Amino acid sequence: MTTVRARSPRSLPTPVGLTAEWYSHCARGELRFQRCGTCGAWRHPPRHLCPACGDEGWSWDPSSGRGTLFSWTVTHQALHPGFADALPYAVLVVELEEGVRVVAGLRGIEPGDLRLGLPVEVEIERVSDTIGLLYFRRRPA
Ligand SMILES: [Zn+2]
């Protein structure tokens, strides 16, 4: 599930608080999401209270890393020079088996081959000691 690559020249997120905790799990190659200790609801992005029951108790539980393509957009113009060599590239919204949705990059599939509901699995790229970025690949049936 984890791939370690050289540092990217692209700008990186500078998260704080719970979001920094989430990225640090990713930096260790672990895809985890908050799960309510009372009702069991998964949630993302990170927040202090459960949106389902309002409880404050939760844990970082491991995700299967498997999901389906919920939506995407294809970028044809680089707004940051670090992305110029990747054009055109897709930005995905993937719905994980746990029910949460994440924004991520695409690997191993041409943007023109994307379709709604495509089965995908996560690949995490560690870009620093505190940041891991999510990419998804087609999942074998
Ligand atoms: Zn809850």
Side-chain angles (χ1 to χ4, degrees):
M1 179 157 114
T2 303
T3 300
V4 178
R5 298 174 191 250
R7 288 177 185 249
S8 170
R10 299 171 183 165
S11 62
L12 295 175
T14 54
V16 296
L18 292 176
T19 302
E21 287 184 35
W22 182 77
Y23 273 106
S24 71
H25 290 294
C26 295
R28 291 192 296 271
E30 301 171 356
L31 181 58
R32 292 179 177 267
F33 297 104
Q34 289 175 292
R35 190 169 191 193
C36 179
T38 298
C39 75
W42 295 81
R43 63 185 189 251
H44 186 75
R47 64 197 93 159
H48 290 280
L49 300 178
C50 175
C53 74
D55 194 83
E56 296 178 356
W58 54 270
S59 57
W60 290 110
D61 285 5
S63 166
S64 69
R66 295 185 300 268
T68 54
L69 184 58
F70 181 80
S71 184
W72 73 94
T73 186
V74 178
T75 298
H76 296 272
Q77 181 177 1
L79 299 178
H80 183 283
F83 291 88
D85 64 342
L87 294 174
Y89 63 89
V91 177
L92 314 179
V93 177
V94 171
E95 186 168 274
L96 278 301
E97 289 179 337
E98 294 79 17
V100 297
R101 295 177 187 152
V102 294
V103 176
L106 175 67
R107 292 267 166 84
I109 311 170
E110 290 300 318
D113 293 334
L114 294 174
R115 59 178 170 75
L116 289 176
L118 182 74
V120 292
E121 62 187 3
V122 74
E123 176 180 306
I124 301 175
E125 179 181 352
R126 190 179 78 196
V127 294
S128 76
D129 291 341
T130 57
I131 301 292
L133 301 178
L134 303 185
Y135 295 87
F136 282 85
R137 291 185 172 276
R138 183 189 315 264
R139 177 166 36 105

